Every structure is written in C-alpha cells, then in structure tokens.
Amino acid sequence: MKKALVLGGGGFIGGHLAKKLKNEGFWVRVVDIKNNHDFWNNDDICDEYICGDLRDPDLVSEVITSPDSNPFDEVYQLAADMGGAGYIFTGENDANVMHNSALINLNVVFEASKNNVKRIFYSSSACMYPEHNQMDSNNPNCEESSAYPAEPDSEYGWEKLFSERLFLAFNRNYNLDVRVARFHNIFGPMGTWTGGKEKAPAAMCRKVAECINGEIEVWGDGLQTRSFLYIDDCLEAMLRFMRQEDFMGPVNIGSEEMVTINQLAEMTISFTDKKIKINNLEGQKFIDKYGFPCPLGVRGRNSDNRLYKEKMGWEVSIPLVEGMRKTFKWI
C-alpha cells in the first residue's frame, strides 16, 4: 500500500486532499495544529491524525517517518499561517505569518531530505507575484517567469517566495524530488467561512446567506479583479502535477476566469430571491467603520495557465458559477 503524508491536513485544501488520497487507496497520515478537521471526522479523511505543531523540529522528525520506516511515497506540505485579506493585508500579523510559516518549511524540507521521501509537494501562492505587475485590474501579469524582480504585496508573499527557493535549493543540493505550485484562490465547501480568515468566495456566500433583504458590504470599490479555482479542479491539477516525472515547477494552479469582486457578489446574490444591494466600502468610509485602511491587496490578479497546459495537457473544467453555487448551498 502506498503511503501519503498531508501536513496541514486539518485545513480546507488539506482535508479534501487527504480524503481523496484515502479514497484512492493510500495509507494517509494527517498532521495539523488543530485537534481535528473543522467539518469532517478525522477517520473520514485519514488513517492516522496527529495533532502537533510543525514549528517543532522534533515533531516533524517523528511524523515524517512512516509506520513501516520506509519513505513516504507522497508528502504534501500545505501547512502555513494564513487567512483572507483581513488577516494578510492589515500588517498586524506579518511577524507571525513569516516566522511560523518559515519555521514549518525549514523543518519539513530538512527532515524530508534526511528521510529520503520519494516526492514532496510545496504549496506556494499567487501572492508572491510582484505588486507592480498587478496594478491594472483588467490586465494583470501572473506568468510564472514574471516573479522576478520580486516585489510581493505582503509579507505572506515574501515568505512564500523564500520557501519556493528553499525547496528548490534542497532539490539542487540534496536531490530532494520536489514539486512547487502557486495556488490562485482555491475555494469550495468544507472550508473556513467566518471568523476573519475566510477568503472572498466564502465571505460573499456568508454575507448573502445571512442577509434577509437590504445590503451587503464589499470592501473597496468592487472593481478589483481575481480568479477563483474550485477545489475539485485544484485536486485534479495538484495530483497530475505531483505524479508527472519531468517538471518541478513553479507552476500556477488556478482559473483564468477573471471577475470583479462586485461581479462575484452579484453572482452569489443571483442564487437567491433576495433583494440585496452592494455597499462598497472604501476610503474614509471604510476607515470610519473599521479604524484602519481597507486591506485589498493588488488591483488585479488572474492565473496564467499556459505553462500548466503545456506541461500537463490539462485545463480547468468547472465554471466559477457552478463552484460558487455548490459553496453557497453548503454555507
């Protein structure tokens, strides 16, 4: 039986991934700082669930050793200190985001190399792309080769860029077989939808679901653009990339279906019979209500999938409206 290790498997993408691997017949170990997955029973997603702090090198050394002492066939490093715009872009969490995630990745890549894991996947982020290439909401540039000269718009992005280089350096110096992918706004059911760390699709679904009639808030002017990838397509793209032999990345995993945030809100409202208006909070209006400048990130971001199509011969199949409808129904 093949064995897989999912670090951060108590989270949204990690939980879906672990469940899929278990259904494929893998023996799956999940490690997460949380005692259990927020929405699934642990037994539903893995054979062994370990609650622990991956900032601890002793714990990482322990969990990266498989039960039969043979190397894990597949290791997925998804654990990170992260959240939505309200968590990443206010600046209040910068030190923790950089310190916690960097420590995790330093521990994981070192122990993976020592234990001769067969292959390891690292989940980077579109947040590592330069801010100056994403100022035009209609024409953002997120081609993989545009990453340098580097100028991410957040400390979260800088840490992701550092960790990409860390994993690739261990490949060069220690022959660690790595795969590095840059996620672009993955969403779907069984993920965080309240509390401040939720992403835009889940936040929009929650706001519309809770609103009887009236208005919902959308941060900024609503004309900032993004693309969002449904979790099923994300898993398909991850596993295809992980299991091909010739390409380490980095490569984008995302959708090229770009929308404004107001369009995302209008799409969500259309799933209901409610009469809901959009209240765009920007500038002084936002500061007066929340006490700090509106944390928006870049003006435009869209996945560039040309390299993925070239290397893997596959493209996204689930339209945004279909994924949003499923997510709204679940929330």
Side-chain angles (χ1 to χ4, degrees):
M1 180 182 288
K2 287 189 174 183
K3 301 176 298 298
L5 173 64
V6 182
L7 304 171
F12 166 54
I13 299 176
H16 279 274
L17 173 63
K19 192 171 189 292
K20 186 174 181 64
L21 291 169
K22 185 177 181 183
N23 289 341
E24 286 185 348
F26 278 75
W27 184 92
V28 179
R29 171 184 287 164
V30 160
V31 184
D32 202 282
I33 200 167
K34 297 183 294 188
N35 287 316
N36 47 262
H37 194 277
D38 289 335
F39 305 107
W40 274 306
N41 293 323
N42 292 344
D43 291 343
D44 293 335
I45 63 172
C46 62
D47 299 279
E48 182 181 33
Y49 190 107
I50 296 175
C51 176
D53 190 339
L54 294 168
R55 293 172 297 181
D56 178 358
D58 292 333
L59 174 82
V60 177
S61 177
E62 175 187 336
V63 301
I64 217 159
T65 303
S66 73
D68 60 8
S69 298
N70 291 318
F72 274 101
D73 296 281
E74 297 180 1
V75 175
Y76 295 87
Q77 171 22 23
L78 310 177
D81 188 344
M82 55 89 68
Y87 187 77
I88 294 297
F89 296 119
T90 62
E92 296 177 359
N93 305 295
D94 287 349
N96 287 339
V97 165
M98 297 190 79
H99 173 266
N100 294 340
S101 295
L103 267 183
I104 290 169
N105 287 317
L106 287 163
N107 290 337
V108 168
V109 75
F110 179 68
E111 292 297 336
S113 177
K114 272 178 54 180
N115 284 273
N116 299 310
V117 302
K118 294 182 180 178
R119 185 166 293 169
I120 185 167
F121 176 97
Y122 172 61
S123 60
S124 185
S125 167
C127 289
M128 47 67 58
Y129 283 111
E131 183 177 24
H132 58 255
N133 286 344
Q134 302 171 85
M135 300 303 289
D136 182 345
S137 58
N138 295 313
N139 297 288
N141 177 15
C142 291
E143 186 178 4
E144 286 86 352
S145 60
S146 72
Y148 298 93
E151 192 191 0
D153 68 337
S154 64
E155 303 301 350
Y156 174 76
W158 279 108
E159 189 281 323
K160 286 294 188 183
L161 192 61
F162 162 76
S163 292
E164 285 188 9
R165 300 185 67 94
L166 173 68
F167 277 81
L168 294 170
F170 267 76
N171 168 263
R172 290 194 304 273
N173 296 158
Y174 296 101
N175 296 314
L176 182 64
D177 193 4
V178 304
R179 298 290 182 272
V180 178
R182 297 166 178 166
F183 286 156
H184 286 248
N185 297 317
I186 315 304
F187 77 101
M190 314 301 276
T192 301
W193 56 275
T194 189
K197 286 192 173 186
E198 67 275 17
K199 303 292 186 65
M204 213 65 73
C205 290
R206 185 199 74 246
K207 290 177 182 181
V208 172
E210 291 178 339
C211 184
I212 304 304
N213 284 299
E215 64 179 31
I216 60 170
E217 290 180 357
V218 171
W219 291 4
D221 61 11
L223 301 180
Q224 62 271 33
T225 55
R226 295 292 187 273
S227 63
F228 303 94
L229 182 68
Y230 190 64
I231 183 62
D232 291 358
D233 268 339
C234 175
L235 296 180
E236 180 71 19
M238 284 176 69
L239 295 179
R240 283 175 178 264
F241 175 50
M242 180 68 161
R243 292 168 181 172
Q244 53 78 41
E245 296 297 329
D246 302 322
F247 179 51
M248 290 187 298
V251 68
N252 291 327
I253 289 182
S255 168
E256 293 179 310
E257 185 182 350
M258 188 172 70
V259 295
T260 68
I261 299 303
N262 276 354
Q263 287 172 334
L264 186 71
E266 290 163 357
M267 179 185 295
T268 311
I269 294 168
S270 75
F271 302 148
T272 76
D273 296 325
K274 300 176 183 179
K275 296 178 181 179
I276 298 175
K277 294 181 179 179
I278 296 170
N279 177 18
N280 288 111
L281 278 184
E282 53 182 325
Q284 192 61 43
K285 186 165 64 168
F286 186 93
I287 295 173
D288 289 344
K289 179 158 187 177
Y290 288 99
F292 55 87
C294 188
L296 293 176
V298 295
R299 285 297 295 170
R301 176 173 291 147
N302 191 26
S303 185
D304 185 322
N305 290 352
R306 288 174 293 179
L307 182 60
Y308 191 97
K309 291 175 188 175
E310 174 192 333
K311 296 295 185 180
M312 259 64 68
W314 179 85
E315 54 188 301
V316 173
S317 63
I318 302 173
L320 176 60
V321 67
E322 183 180 331
M324 281 297 291
R325 186 176 283 110
K326 291 178 180 179
T327 306
F328 178 76
K329 183 177 179 181
W330 176 76
I331 288 177

